[in-house]
Amino acid sequence: EPEVTQTPSHQVTQMGQEVILRCVPISNHLYFYWYRQILGQKVEFLVSFYNNEISEKSEIFDDQFSVERPDGSNFTLKIRSTKLEDSAMYFCASTRQGGNQPQHFGDGTRLSIL
Amino acid sequence: GENVEQHPSTLSVQEGDSAVIKCTYSDSASNYFPWYKQELGKRPQLIIDIRSNVGEKKDQRIAVTLNKTAKHFSLHITETQPEDSAVYFCAAGSGGSNYKLTFGKGTLLTVNP
């Protein structure tokens, strides 16, 4: 069964540095999502993306965050100037259609900000 | 925006017993309610979901019920096994084309052998 894949599995970065998290959605999917989970807490929505545009974003997704689909397969999340509180697991998901479709998560990237 | 409350935060049962986890949501526009199981250090894994036009759905030992009027939905696990031990998250989906999931805070289920 096709899966969402994410790289790297673990990223350690100095505070203030830029970081790019990568996701390869399932190949025929058109809707893409990023979520984060701070250790021991619930999963939180960050952003949804369709047709090369952000569809929806949460309050967490401020000006330091951006998303991009640079080619036909990758979907990236960039944090421009990382803060300590950005330390979390970041999960990518994709769906073929929009709306109430099952969202299957990738294995996530653990981001540690020092 | 949507708010999802989940109870209990921890649940301990004996192997073979049933487990029930309950969630409430606030946005009457929410129309999709998935449940995820997360083992330590792993991704949330979708185990069952229900859409708002259905009141109950079952998949082997797992069932989900939805009460739209009361805005609550529940996960039922029967004949629990030690491998069911994990954190379970409920979520509510809404937004039309700007779709997103809002998660509950999770329930740590421990099944004692």
Side-chain angles (χ1 to χ4, degrees), chain A residues 70-113:
Chain A
D71 53 43
S73 58
N74 289 284
F75 178 51
T76 62
L77 174 69
K78 181 194 290 187
I79 309 175
R80 206 178 341 270
S81 177
T82 49
K83 310 185 207 47
L84 293 176
E85 52 265 37
D86 294 328
S87 295
M89 282 290 289
Y90 288 80
F91 294 104
C92 175
S94 68
T95 58
R96 193 165 69 87
Q97 298 171 332
N100 56 356
Q101 301 299 309
Q103 293 186 21
H104 296 277
F105 290 84
D107 283 334
T109 293
R110 178 171 298 284
L111 178 62
S112 300
I113 307 300

mmCIF file of all heavy atoms in Angstrom, chain A residues 70-113:
data_model
loop_
_atom_site.group_PDB
_atom_site.id
_atom_site.type_symbol
_atom_site.label_atom_id
_atom_site.label_comp_id
_atom_site.label_asym_id
_atom_site.label_seq_id
_atom_site.Cartn_x
_atom_site.Cartn_y
_atom_site.Cartn_z
ATOM 1 N N PRO A 70 7.936 22.014 -4.761
ATOM 2 C CA PRO A 70 8.945 22.457 -5.727
ATOM 3 C C PRO A 70 8.963 21.654 -7.022
ATOM 4 O O PRO A 70 9.452 22.141 -8.028
ATOM 5 C CB PRO A 70 10.263 22.283 -4.959
ATOM 6 C CG PRO A 70 9.974 21.237 -3.949
ATOM 7 C CD PRO A 70 8.533 21.400 -3.572
ATOM 8 N N ASP A 71 8.429 20.432 -6.962
ATOM 9 C CA ASP A 71 8.380 19.611 -8.169
ATOM 10 C C ASP A 71 7.156 18.724 -8.069
ATOM 11 O O ASP A 71 6.320 18.914 -7.196
ATOM 12 C CB ASP A 71 9.677 18.795 -8.322
ATOM 13 C CG ASP A 71 9.988 17.997 -7.062
ATOM 14 O OD1 ASP A 71 9.049 17.390 -6.492
ATOM 15 O OD2 ASP A 71 11.150 17.995 -6.642
ATOM 16 N N GLY A 72 7.060 17.737 -8.938
ATOM 17 C CA GLY A 72 5.857 16.918 -8.966
ATOM 18 C C GLY A 72 5.731 15.912 -7.847
ATOM 19 O O GLY A 72 4.691 15.272 -7.718
ATOM 20 N N SER A 73 6.773 15.793 -7.009
ATOM 21 C CA SER A 73 6.690 14.743 -5.998
ATOM 22 C C SER A 73 6.898 15.231 -4.564
ATOM 23 O O SER A 73 6.372 14.636 -3.643
ATOM 24 C CB SER A 73 7.706 13.643 -6.303
ATOM 25 O OG SER A 73 9.015 14.169 -6.340
ATOM 26 N N ASN A 74 7.644 16.300 -4.373
ATOM 27 C CA ASN A 74 7.959 16.724 -3.013
ATOM 28 C C ASN A 74 7.020 17.809 -2.513
ATOM 29 O O ASN A 74 6.488 18.614 -3.285
ATOM 30 C CB ASN A 74 9.395 17.251 -2.949
ATOM 31 C CG ASN A 74 10.412 16.147 -3.087
ATOM 32 O OD1 ASN A 74 10.643 15.392 -2.159
ATOM 33 N ND2 ASN A 74 11.005 16.049 -4.264
ATOM 34 N N PHE A 75 6.846 17.814 -1.192
ATOM 35 C CA PHE A 75 6.075 18.853 -0.518
ATOM 36 C C PHE A 75 6.900 19.233 0.710
ATOM 37 O O PHE A 75 7.185 18.368 1.540
ATOM 38 C CB PHE A 75 4.702 18.307 -0.138
ATOM 39 C CG PHE A 75 3.814 19.264 0.614
ATOM 40 C CD1 PHE A 75 3.583 20.547 0.152
ATOM 41 C CD2 PHE A 75 3.177 18.872 1.786
ATOM 42 C CE1 PHE A 75 2.762 21.431 0.831
ATOM 43 C CE2 PHE A 75 2.355 19.731 2.477
ATOM 44 C CZ PHE A 75 2.153 21.020 2.006
ATOM 45 N N THR A 76 7.304 20.494 0.795
ATOM 46 C CA THR A 76 8.248 20.859 1.852
ATOM 47 C C THR A 76 7.643 21.858 2.825
ATOM 48 O O THR A 76 6.775 22.668 2.463
ATOM 49 C CB THR A 76 9.534 21.465 1.258
ATOM 50 O OG1 THR A 76 9.205 22.662 0.543
ATOM 51 C CG2 THR A 76 10.232 20.484 0.331
ATOM 52 N N LEU A 77 8.132 21.790 4.049
ATOM 53 C CA LEU A 77 7.809 22.760 5.091
ATOM 54 C C LEU A 77 9.107 23.433 5.489
ATOM 55 O O LEU A 77 10.064 22.759 5.869
ATOM 56 C CB LEU A 77 7.175 22.069 6.306
ATOM 57 C CG LEU A 77 6.918 22.948 7.526
ATOM 58 C CD1 LEU A 77 5.809 23.965 7.246
ATOM 59 C CD2 LEU A 77 6.539 22.092 8.744
ATOM 60 N N LYS A 78 9.145 24.740 5.378
ATOM 61 C CA LYS A 78 10.338 25.490 5.764
ATOM 62 C C LYS A 78 10.025 26.326 6.983
ATOM 63 O O LYS A 78 8.977 26.997 7.059
ATOM 64 C CB LYS A 78 10.795 26.399 4.623
ATOM 65 C CG LYS A 78 12.068 27.190 4.950
ATOM 66 C CD LYS A 78 12.327 28.314 3.963
ATOM 67 C CE LYS A 78 12.723 27.840 2.612
ATOM 68 N NZ LYS A 78 13.123 28.961 1.714
ATOM 69 N N ILE A 79 10.945 26.294 7.927
ATOM 70 C CA ILE A 79 10.882 27.210 9.072
ATOM 71 C C ILE A 79 12.085 28.117 8.932
ATOM 72 O O ILE A 79 13.240 27.650 8.950
ATOM 73 C CB ILE A 79 10.900 26.464 10.427
ATOM 74 C CG1 ILE A 79 9.841 25.369 10.446
ATOM 75 C CG2 ILE A 79 10.649 27.459 11.557
ATOM 76 C CD1 ILE A 79 9.860 24.504 11.698
ATOM 77 N N ARG A 80 11.840 29.398 8.805
ATOM 78 C CA ARG A 80 12.885 30.337 8.409
ATOM 79 C C ARG A 80 13.908 30.582 9.503
ATOM 80 O O ARG A 80 15.092 30.520 9.293
ATOM 81 C CB ARG A 80 12.260 31.663 7.981
ATOM 82 C CG ARG A 80 13.101 32.462 7.010
ATOM 83 C CD ARG A 80 12.442 33.746 6.555
ATOM 84 N NE ARG A 80 11.023 33.818 6.732
ATOM 85 C CZ ARG A 80 10.114 33.427 5.842
ATOM 86 N NH1 ARG A 80 10.487 32.914 4.705
ATOM 87 N NH2 ARG A 80 8.825 33.547 6.085
ATOM 88 N N SER A 81 13.463 30.852 10.685
ATOM 89 C CA SER A 81 14.350 31.149 11.808
ATOM 90 C C SER A 81 13.809 30.395 13.012
ATOM 91 O O SER A 81 12.892 30.860 13.685
ATOM 92 C CB SER A 81 14.386 32.654 12.071
ATOM 93 O OG SER A 81 15.183 32.945 13.202
ATOM 94 N N THR A 82 14.374 29.222 13.243
ATOM 95 C CA THR A 82 13.779 28.321 14.230
ATOM 96 C C THR A 82 13.905 28.850 15.661
ATOM 97 O O THR A 82 14.872 29.530 16.015
ATOM 98 C CB THR A 82 14.446 26.945 14.149
ATOM 99 O OG1 THR A 82 15.874 27.104 14.164
ATOM 100 C CG2 THR A 82 14.043 26.219 12.877
ATOM 101 N N LYS A 83 12.894 28.497 16.456
ATOM 102 C CA LYS A 83 12.881 28.829 17.875
ATOM 103 C C LYS A 83 12.872 27.513 18.668
ATOM 104 O O LYS A 83 12.525 26.456 18.135
ATOM 105 C CB LYS A 83 11.642 29.635 18.245
ATOM 106 C CG LYS A 83 11.351 30.837 17.377
ATOM 107 C CD LYS A 83 10.179 31.574 17.978
ATOM 108 C CE LYS A 83 9.339 32.381 17.032
ATOM 109 N NZ LYS A 83 8.889 31.883 15.822
ATOM 110 N N LEU A 84 13.206 27.624 19.938
ATOM 111 C CA LEU A 84 13.207 26.428 20.789
ATOM 112 C C LEU A 84 11.843 25.737 20.768
ATOM 113 O O LEU A 84 11.754 24.505 20.749
ATOM 114 C CB LEU A 84 13.577 26.792 22.226
ATOM 115 C CG LEU A 84 14.997 27.271 22.466
ATOM 116 C CD1 LEU A 84 15.176 27.694 23.926
ATOM 117 C CD2 LEU A 84 16.024 26.203 22.096
ATOM 118 N N GLU A 85 10.775 26.544 20.755
ATOM 119 C CA GLU A 85 9.426 25.972 20.824
ATOM 120 C C GLU A 85 8.981 25.322 19.512
ATOM 121 O O GLU A 85 7.886 24.758 19.445
ATOM 122 C CB GLU A 85 8.414 27.049 21.247
ATOM 123 C CG GLU A 85 8.448 28.314 20.432
ATOM 124 C CD GLU A 85 9.308 29.411 21.061
ATOM 125 O OE1 GLU A 85 10.366 29.092 21.663
ATOM 126 O OE2 GLU A 85 8.926 30.582 20.920
ATOM 127 N N ASP A 86 9.814 25.382 18.486
ATOM 128 C CA ASP A 86 9.512 24.650 17.263
ATOM 129 C C ASP A 86 9.896 23.179 17.367
ATOM 130 O O ASP A 86 9.577 22.382 16.483
ATOM 131 C CB ASP A 86 10.252 25.271 16.063
ATOM 132 C CG ASP A 86 9.764 26.664 15.728
ATOM 133 O OD1 ASP A 86 8.557 26.939 15.930
ATOM 134 O OD2 ASP A 86 10.589 27.488 15.281
ATOM 135 N N SER A 87 10.552 22.823 18.439
ATOM 136 C CA SER A 87 10.912 21.421 18.643
ATOM 137 C C SER A 87 9.650 20.586 18.756
ATOM 138 O O SER A 87 8.790 20.844 19.611
ATOM 139 C CB SER A 87 11.745 21.266 19.919
ATOM 140 O OG SER A 87 12.976 21.929 19.801
ATOM 141 N N ALA A 88 9.523 19.593 17.884
ATOM 142 C CA ALA A 88 8.306 18.785 17.817
ATOM 143 C C ALA A 88 8.492 17.714 16.759
ATOM 144 O O ALA A 88 9.490 17.715 16.020
ATOM 145 C CB ALA A 88 7.100 19.657 17.449
ATOM 146 N N MET A 89 7.513 16.815 16.681
ATOM 147 C CA MET A 89 7.398 15.908 15.529
ATOM 148 C C MET A 89 6.529 16.609 14.501
ATOM 149 O O MET A 89 5.486 17.168 14.836
ATOM 150 C CB MET A 89 6.741 14.603 15.936
ATOM 151 C CG MET A 89 7.638 13.636 16.648
ATOM 152 S SD MET A 89 8.899 12.922 15.580
ATOM 153 C CE MET A 89 7.917 11.839 14.554
ATOM 154 N N TYR A 90 6.949 16.556 13.254
ATOM 155 C CA TYR A 90 6.184 17.146 12.173
ATOM 156 C C TYR A 90 5.724 16.024 11.247
ATOM 157 O O TYR A 90 6.530 15.242 10.747
ATOM 158 C CB TYR A 90 7.031 18.174 11.414
ATOM 159 C CG TYR A 90 7.252 19.426 12.221
ATOM 160 C CD1 TYR A 90 8.226 19.477 13.215
ATOM 161 C CD2 TYR A 90 6.460 20.564 12.022
ATOM 162 C CE1 TYR A 90 8.416 20.617 13.982
ATOM 163 C CE2 TYR A 90 6.642 21.704 12.786
ATOM 164 C CZ TYR A 90 7.619 21.720 13.763
ATOM 165 O OH TYR A 90 7.792 22.852 14.533
ATOM 166 N N PHE A 91 4.424 15.962 11.048
ATOM 167 C CA PHE A 91 3.835 14.916 10.225
ATOM 168 C C PHE A 91 3.230 15.526 8.964
ATOM 169 O O PHE A 91 2.567 16.558 9.006
ATOM 170 C CB PHE A 91 2.736 14.175 10.984
ATOM 171 C CG PHE A 91 3.214 13.389 12.165
ATOM 172 C CD1 PHE A 91 3.014 13.858 13.452
ATOM 173 C CD2 PHE A 91 3.861 12.175 11.990
ATOM 174 C CE1 PHE A 91 3.441 13.128 14.555
ATOM 175 C CE2 PHE A 91 4.292 11.441 13.079
ATOM 176 C CZ PHE A 91 4.087 11.920 14.361
ATOM 177 N N CYS A 92 3.441 14.828 7.879
ATOM 178 C CA CYS A 92 2.852 15.187 6.602
ATOM 179 C C CYS A 92 1.739 14.180 6.295
ATOM 180 O O CYS A 92 1.822 13.010 6.699
ATOM 181 C CB CYS A 92 3.936 15.121 5.519
ATOM 182 S SG CYS A 92 3.385 15.406 3.843
ATOM 183 N N ALA A 93 0.711 14.631 5.617
ATOM 184 C CA ALA A 93 -0.365 13.742 5.168
ATOM 185 C C ALA A 93 -0.837 14.202 3.799
ATOM 186 O O ALA A 93 -0.607 15.347 3.401
ATOM 187 C CB ALA A 93 -1.525 13.752 6.164
ATOM 188 N N SER A 94 -1.489 13.300 3.092
ATOM 189 C CA SER A 94 -2.027 13.677 1.788
ATOM 190 C C SER A 94 -3.329 12.940 1.539
ATOM 191 O O SER A 94 -3.573 11.874 2.112
ATOM 192 C CB SER A 94 -1.021 13.379 0.669
ATOM 193 O OG SER A 94 -0.833 11.975 0.495
ATOM 194 N N THR A 95 -4.182 13.524 0.699
ATOM 195 C CA THR A 95 -5.410 12.873 0.273
ATOM 196 C C THR A 95 -5.597 13.123 -1.219
ATOM 197 O O THR A 95 -5.125 14.130 -1.763
ATOM 198 C CB THR A 95 -6.652 13.395 1.021
ATOM 199 O OG1 THR A 95 -6.766 14.811 0.831
ATOM 200 C CG2 THR A 95 -6.565 13.113 2.510
ATOM 201 N N ARG A 96 -6.307 12.205 -1.853
ATOM 202 C CA ARG A 96 -6.523 12.371 -3.300
ATOM 203 C C ARG A 96 -7.568 13.447 -3.561
ATOM 204 O O ARG A 96 -7.444 14.241 -4.486
ATOM 205 C CB ARG A 96 -6.941 11.050 -3.921
ATOM 206 C CG ARG A 96 -6.879 11.037 -5.448
ATOM 207 C CD ARG A 96 -6.955 9.633 -5.981
ATOM 208 N NE ARG A 96 -8.262 9.035 -5.769
ATOM 209 C CZ ARG A 96 -9.285 9.160 -6.615
ATOM 210 N NH1 ARG A 96 -9.153 9.870 -7.709
ATOM 211 N NH2 ARG A 96 -10.424 8.571 -6.347
ATOM 212 N N GLN A 97 -8.601 13.444 -2.747
ATOM 213 C CA GLN A 97 -9.658 14.444 -2.869
ATOM 214 C C GLN A 97 -9.649 15.312 -1.622
ATOM 215 O O GLN A 97 -9.096 14.949 -0.592
ATOM 216 C CB GLN A 97 -11.012 13.750 -3.005
ATOM 217 C CG GLN A 97 -11.118 12.872 -4.240
ATOM 218 C CD GLN A 97 -12.390 12.038 -4.227
ATOM 219 O OE1 GLN A 97 -12.915 11.711 -3.179
ATOM 220 N NE2 GLN A 97 -12.895 11.719 -5.406
ATOM 221 N N GLY A 98 -10.304 16.460 -1.727
ATOM 222 C CA GLY A 98 -10.441 17.306 -0.560
ATOM 223 C C GLY A 98 -11.616 16.853 0.288
ATOM 224 O O GLY A 98 -12.301 15.898 -0.037
ATOM 225 N N GLY A 99 -11.829 17.553 1.377
ATOM 226 C CA GLY A 99 -12.968 17.236 2.222
ATOM 227 C C GLY A 99 -12.703 16.078 3.158
ATOM 228 O O GLY A 99 -11.574 15.811 3.555
ATOM 229 N N ASN A 100 -13.753 15.361 3.492
ATOM 230 C CA ASN A 100 -13.699 14.367 4.563
ATOM 231 C C ASN A 100 -13.107 13.040 4.091
ATOM 232 O O ASN A 100 -13.770 12.010 4.045
ATOM 233 C CB ASN A 100 -15.093 14.171 5.157
ATOM 234 C CG ASN A 100 -16.130 13.779 4.096
ATOM 235 O OD1 ASN A 100 -15.808 13.738 2.917
ATOM 236 N ND2 ASN A 100 -17.330 13.490 4.540
ATOM 237 N N GLN A 101 -11.828 13.090 3.777
ATOM 238 C CA GLN A 101 -11.113 11.909 3.303
ATOM 239 C C GLN A 101 -10.111 11.452 4.357
ATOM 240 O O GLN A 101 -9.571 12.273 5.096
ATOM 241 C CB GLN A 101 -10.368 12.226 2.008
ATOM 242 C CG GLN A 101 -11.270 12.695 0.886
ATOM 243 C CD GLN A 101 -12.291 11.642 0.509
ATOM 244 O OE1 GLN A 101 -11.927 10.479 0.261
ATOM 245 N NE2 GLN A 101 -13.558 12.014 0.477
ATOM 246 N N PRO A 102 -9.846 10.155 4.414
ATOM 247 C CA PRO A 102 -8.872 9.654 5.395
ATOM 248 C C PRO A 102 -7.503 10.284 5.165
ATOM 249 O O PRO A 102 -7.004 10.313 4.035
ATOM 250 C CB PRO A 102 -8.835 8.150 5.125
ATOM 251 C CG PRO A 102 -10.119 7.845 4.442
ATOM 252 C CD PRO A 102 -10.469 9.065 3.649
ATOM 253 N N GLN A 103 -6.907 10.771 6.230
ATOM 254 C CA GLN A 103 -5.569 11.330 6.166
ATOM 255 C C GLN A 103 -4.615 10.348 6.838
ATOM 256 O O GLN A 103 -4.728 10.099 8.033
ATOM 257 C CB GLN A 103 -5.519 12.695 6.855
ATOM 258 C CG GLN A 103 -6.320 13.754 6.133
ATOM 259 C CD GLN A 103 -6.147 15.131 6.722
ATOM 260 O OE1 GLN A 103 -5.164 15.413 7.413
ATOM 261 N NE2 GLN A 103 -7.097 16.011 6.451
ATOM 262 N N HIS A 104 -3.696 9.835 6.052
ATOM 263 C CA HIS A 104 -2.682 8.914 6.554
ATOM 264 C C HIS A 104 -1.381 9.674 6.708
ATOM 265 O O HIS A 104 -0.927 10.344 5.781
ATOM 266 C CB HIS A 104 -2.503 7.733 5.594
ATOM 267 C CG HIS A 104 -3.736 6.887 5.476
ATOM 268 N ND1 HIS A 104 -4.046 5.902 6.383
ATOM 269 C CD2 HIS A 104 -4.748 6.898 4.574
ATOM 270 C CE1 HIS A 104 -5.196 5.331 6.030
ATOM 271 N NE2 HIS A 104 -5.640 5.919 4.945
ATOM 272 N N PHE A 105 -0.790 9.562 7.885
ATOM 273 C CA PHE A 105 0.417 10.315 8.191
ATOM 274 C C PHE A 105 1.672 9.569 7.765
ATOM 275 O O PHE A 105 1.727 8.337 7.801
ATOM 276 C CB PHE A 105 0.498 10.584 9.695
ATOM 277 C CG PHE A 105 -0.524 11.563 10.193
ATOM 278 C CD1 PHE A 105 -1.802 11.164 10.523
ATOM 279 C CD2 PHE A 105 -0.195 12.905 10.328
ATOM 280 C CE1 PHE A 105 -2.743 12.074 10.973
ATOM 281 C CE2 PHE A 105 -1.138 13.821 10.782
ATOM 282 C CZ PHE A 105 -2.407 13.403 11.106
ATOM 283 N N GLY A 106 2.678 10.344 7.400
ATOM 284 C CA GLY A 106 4.015 9.786 7.246
ATOM 285 C C GLY A 106 4.609 9.477 8.613
ATOM 286 O O GLY A 106 3.991 9.738 9.649
ATOM 287 N N ASP A 107 5.817 8.944 8.609
ATOM 288 C CA ASP A 107 6.474 8.574 9.866
ATOM 289 C C ASP A 107 6.952 9.776 10.666
ATOM 290 O O ASP A 107 7.340 9.629 11.825
ATOM 291 C CB ASP A 107 7.659 7.642 9.597
ATOM 292 C CG ASP A 107 7.211 6.226 9.313
ATOM 293 O OD1 ASP A 107 6.120 5.849 9.788
ATOM 294 O OD2 ASP A 107 7.939 5.494 8.606
ATOM 295 N N GLY A 108 6.949 10.937 10.050
ATOM 296 C CA GLY A 108 7.284 12.150 10.768
ATOM 297 C C GLY A 108 8.763 12.481 10.763
ATOM 298 O O GLY A 108 9.623 11.637 10.518
ATOM 299 N N THR A 109 9.029 13.756 11.036
ATOM 300 C CA THR A 109 10.398 14.231 11.261
ATOM 301 C C THR A 109 10.450 14.799 12.661
ATOM 302 O O THR A 109 9.659 15.681 13.015
ATOM 303 C CB THR A 109 10.786 15.335 10.262
ATOM 304 O OG1 THR A 109 10.860 14.791 8.950
ATOM 305 C CG2 THR A 109 12.127 15.961 10.637
ATOM 306 N N ARG A 110 11.393 14.262 13.443
ATOM 307 C CA ARG A 110 11.590 14.830 14.788
ATOM 308 C C ARG A 110 12.542 16.006 14.665
ATOM 309 O O ARG A 110 13.702 15.835 14.300
ATOM 310 C CB ARG A 110 12.151 13.787 15.745
ATOM 311 C CG ARG A 110 12.409 14.361 17.140
ATOM 312 C CD ARG A 110 12.763 13.279 18.149
ATOM 313 N NE ARG A 110 11.680 12.316 18.317
ATOM 314 C CZ ARG A 110 10.573 12.537 19.010
ATOM 315 N NH1 ARG A 110 10.383 13.698 19.598
ATOM 316 N NH2 ARG A 110 9.659 11.592 19.111
ATOM 317 N N LEU A 111 12.061 17.190 14.953
ATOM 318 C CA LEU A 111 12.871 18.406 14.887
ATOM 319 C C LEU A 111 13.284 18.810 16.285
ATOM 320 O O LEU A 111 12.431 19.011 17.149
ATOM 321 C CB LEU A 111 12.083 19.536 14.218
ATOM 322 C CG LEU A 111 12.788 20.882 14.116
ATOM 323 C CD1 LEU A 111 14.041 20.770 13.263
ATOM 324 C CD2 LEU A 111 11.848 21.940 13.559
ATOM 325 N N SER A 112 14.583 18.890 16.495
ATOM 326 C CA SER A 112 15.126 19.296 17.793
ATOM 327 C C SER A 112 15.893 20.589 17.601
ATOM 328 O O SER A 112 16.857 20.637 16.821
ATOM 329 C CB SER A 112 16.058 18.213 18.351
ATOM 330 O OG SER A 112 15.363 17.000 18.528
ATOM 331 N N ILE A 113 15.480 21.627 18.302
ATOM 332 C CA ILE A 113 16.132 22.931 18.210
ATOM 333 C C ILE A 113 16.979 23.122 19.467
ATOM 334 O O ILE A 113 16.466 23.014 20.595
ATOM 335 C CB ILE A 113 15.102 24.062 18.074
ATOM 336 C CG1 ILE A 113 14.149 23.779 16.908
ATOM 337 C CG2 ILE A 113 15.805 25.413 17.902
ATOM 338 C CD1 ILE A 113 14.808 23.652 15.573
#
